[in-house]
Amino acid sequence: MVHSSDWLKALIVMLRPFKDARLNSSEDILEALSRLSGIIIEDKAGTFIGARMGRPEKAAQREMSPPVNLLFPIGSNGGPSRDFINALNNNEKITVELVKRRCSSCNKKTWTHKCPECRIPTEIIGECESCGFEKRYDEETVCEKCGGNITYYEKYVINIAEKLYEVSREINDPLPGKIKGVKGLNSLTKTPEDLAKGILRAKHELYVYKDGTIRFDVTNAPLTHFKPGQIGTSVDKLRKLGYTHDIFGEPLTSPEQILELRIQDVIIPRKAAEHLLRVSRFIDDELKKLAGMEPYYNWEKPEDIIGELIVVLSPHTYAGSVARVVGIIDGLICFAHPVLHAAKRRDCDGDEDSIMLLLDPLINFSRLYLPNRVGGRMDSPLLITSIVYPEEVDEQAHNLDVVEAYPLEFYRKARKNEHVSNIVRIIPTIKNYLEKPEAFAGCRFTHPQSLLVTSVKESAYKKHSSMLGKIIGQIEIAERLAGVDVSLMVEKIMETHLLPDIVGNARAFFTQEFRCKRCGSKYRRLPITSRCYNCGDELKQTVYRGAVEKYVELTQELLGKYVKNQYLREQALIALEGIKKILSKEELSEASGRQVSLEKFM
């Protein structure tokens, strides 16, 4: 092993071979190099910041659990998948709670938007459960006469086959193989969607969210500059979209010129473009077959979305922002200006947001669909911002610097670990240009990039379908890296993931409910007959033995090879031993609900 003093003696011989250079024990390598060479040599990086992955990249259509084509209740009919076609084939009439409407002409009560007799729009009415007082819908649930509870819905018996065939004929579209609805509506009025929307969504393989919109979730990434060749958009198209000059003021003529991304322009993944193409076809069908209007989009390929408007919306908010698509990439992220991300109340730390084709929320969103509970209105486009002003977004985006290079003074202050408040004035940021034209343009960058997306478009973490594969892959990589303590890493995985998962799944296995395969009814305790009281069908487990045992073998292997922490080892061994004893064949037979002879207990 070579000691620091040996390095310094070697440096003295090389840099001052004929001079008497004394060794200073308080000096580090860089200080000694600077003194002996006569040149000030600084550390390449005074501060190191570690980071870890919070979540992998994502670009996929949002689906409720289970996925839903239509916000229309089907109750326990249609099986566990709540399939309208299944109920139709069984010639079932469904009894469900739906909104109470009245025709102003014939006074007929119905749940449909139009009176089946007069064919004019109906209006929602509420009725007091105590005194029967009726009133028009105004979100008030307390009776003004007696103080009783006002409800805006009642039970209806619907011939679902008759309704579906009727709607299918009206829109001149055949019924798809499946149309998935919901078990029940949880909005204040229990207003359902038009059945035709479910047929059209299922036709285009689309799913609806709780507010009637179709969402595509994608991970955020900040971007301020790009080249036309990086986003797959032609120079001519970009010039039509307003990108006439590059950042140096030269006319745009080449796909290699650098352009500044405008605040409300976004670059979306190809998967999102393909999804929005299907949404555009659904909306065109909706306009033509439900509203009797001409189709609006008429897209033929994903690239037709370039130049079109979308709405971006973050969870836990209720205000979306309009954005324009200017490019498509093959990655799984959505590039946008940091100011636009801040307008969504995001700070560009890898969060995911949803994007919608603009006409979708304008046509299909309704407050009447939103759940009647705390937080039910969150993550819905109650408001849509058409213009994003930098001065109105979160202050974090105002700290984005707009310079090409950092001054020497910045590095000197950073070396002394001075507070950021003493450095802000040195480097211009967006904050310096608020309420000026420069806030919308004039931003520069310090490090140019040749590519926005590398050849690796998806992380290895996502390619493994199971957690077992992810952990094994992580360990294989760690074993190749000299700077990683594999034992410490494995112990962290064991402590934070594997053991809690094993113990939690074991608890869930022995406290599980049982579910009917046909109607979906759940039972806390298994009936003696092992069959559903409602429909007589067989009951099934909701948690299986494999969920408990899936990490047992891996945990045993890791214990023998990597885990050195004795307390953690004993904790894991006790858990594994307990599971082996409990899940023996004889014990499993009892735990899974199968009947055993009373002789066993005698």
Side-chain angles (χ1 to χ4, degrees), residues 256-267:
E256 292 303 310
Q257 288 178 265
I258 301 175
L259 305 173
E260 183 178 356
L261 184 67
R262 299 193 175 189
I263 286 179
Q264 286 181 248
D265 285 349
V266 298
I267 300 165

Side-chain angles (χ1 to χ4, degrees), residues 33-49:
L33 276 172
S34 299
R35 182 172 61 84
L36 295 173
S37 65
I39 301 171
I40 298 176
I41 301 174
E42 300 285 2
D43 196 347
K44 64 179 181 179
T47 304
F48 290 88
I49 302 175

Side-chain angles (χ1 to χ4, degrees), residues 321-339:
S321 298
V322 174
R324 181 179 63 168
V325 178
V326 295
I328 299 174
I329 57 172
D330 290 328
L332 300 179
I333 52 177
C334 176
F335 284 116
H337 197 282
V339 169

